Amino acid sequence: MFHEVDWPSVWQATGETAYMVGISTFFTALFGIPLGVLLVVTERGNLWDLPWLQKVVSGIVNIFRAVPFIVLVLFLFPLAQFLVGTSLGPTAATIPLIAGAAPFYARMVETALREVDKGVVEAARSMGTTRLQVVRRVLIPEATPALISGLTVTCVTLISFSAMAGVVGGGGLGDAAFRYGFQSFNDGMLYVCGLLLILMVQLVQWCGDWVSRRLDKR
């Protein structure tokens, strides 16, 4: 069965998946952390008492989380075409991947920040720390292990999303499994691509757990 595997195509697809997931994870963290911080600090009675803004941000996050990923990919074809000049390939696929994962990670950031001991925040405020300094020097550092754990889960989700994006022209292992495996009745390609996706998930989870444990000082 495995003698039918087109290994050059497999390695190229593996590189495309790693590229998609790496870029998407970076920008998901870049957008997801500020969104999560806004969800917490703007709620009533918190650092910035702006409940209307909290509701707006929460509503946007909920809308993007409610749309099924495969539908989001189709919706964002025009945006990908506008931003990167094409709606096909790994680079174009990063647009819906980021749009789907950033709101998901924002909710994990929100949960991580809510677990920070309020006494630490109040102590920092009583010493004259500004609200921005509380976010930068107290909330985010205290929640870092949980933020890393959340980003690990998000990265694993992105690997799954990238396989779905591949089926509609995003490239990567999902595309190779579908075109060279499923549609060509090549079981070897199908199984190898599936195993590589599982291996990537295990590797990401192991690395994320290791980093989170190293940063957790409790």
Side-chain angles (χ1 to χ4, degrees):
M1 178 172 66
F2 291 107
H3 67 279
E4 297 177 340
V5 175
D6 181 356
W7 290 106
S9 296
V10 168
W11 299 133
Q12 181 182 343
T14 304
E16 289 176 352
T17 295
Y19 167 77
M20 277 190 285
V21 172
I23 296 288
S24 303
T25 301
F26 173 78
F27 281 100
T28 291
L30 195 65
F31 294 126
I33 291 176
L35 280 173
V37 169
L38 271 177
L39 285 170
V40 173
V41 300
T42 57
E43 68 183 0
R44 191 176 300 280
N46 214 319
L47 292 174
W48 283 274
D49 193 347
L50 297 169
W52 66 268
L53 181 58
Q54 201 267 353
K55 288 178 181 175
V56 169
V57 176
S58 180
I60 293 171
V61 166
N62 287 343
I63 288 170
F64 275 87
R65 290 191 65 198
V67 179
F69 178 70
I70 197 68
V71 177
L72 193 63
V73 172
L74 301 176
F75 278 168
L76 294 181
F77 270 161
L79 181 62
Q81 179 76 40
F82 174 74
L83 291 177
V84 300
T86 178
S87 58
L88 298 174
T91 301
T94 59
I95 305 300
L97 286 172
I98 296 165
F104 176 77
Y105 184 53
R107 286 298 185 191
M108 292 197 164
V109 173
E110 180 189 15
T111 302
L113 296 181
R114 288 190 194 284
E115 290 176 356
V116 174
D117 187 350
K118 293 187 184 306
V120 178
V121 176
E122 289 170 3
R125 290 288 287 161
S126 68
M127 288 187 288
T129 309
T130 66
R131 289 176 290 194
L132 192 58
Q133 287 172 331
V134 169
V135 173
R136 287 174 48 224
R137 298 180 181 176
V138 178
L139 283 177
I140 291 180
E142 288 288 325
T144 295
L147 295 179
I148 296 295
S149 294
L151 192 59
T152 302
V153 173
T154 306
C155 189
V156 168
T157 305
L158 278 167
I159 293 172
S160 173
F161 281 178
S162 76
M164 280 192 277
V167 175
V168 289
L173 287 166
D175 178 43
F178 183 67
R179 283 199 296 144
Y180 304 127
F182 180 74
Q183 288 190 324
S184 302
F185 303 101
N186 186 333
D187 290 342
M189 282 291 288
L190 198 58
Y191 289 129
V192 166
C193 291
L195 286 173
L196 283 171
L197 285 168
I198 293 171
L199 188 63
M200 291 179 83
V201 167
Q202 295 292 336
L203 186 63
V204 166
Q205 190 66 56
W206 182 83
C207 289
D209 289 346
W210 183 79
V211 173
S212 181
R213 282 198 301 271
R214 297 281 293 180
L215 293 175
D216 194 348
K217 305 300 183 187
R218 290 173 294 182

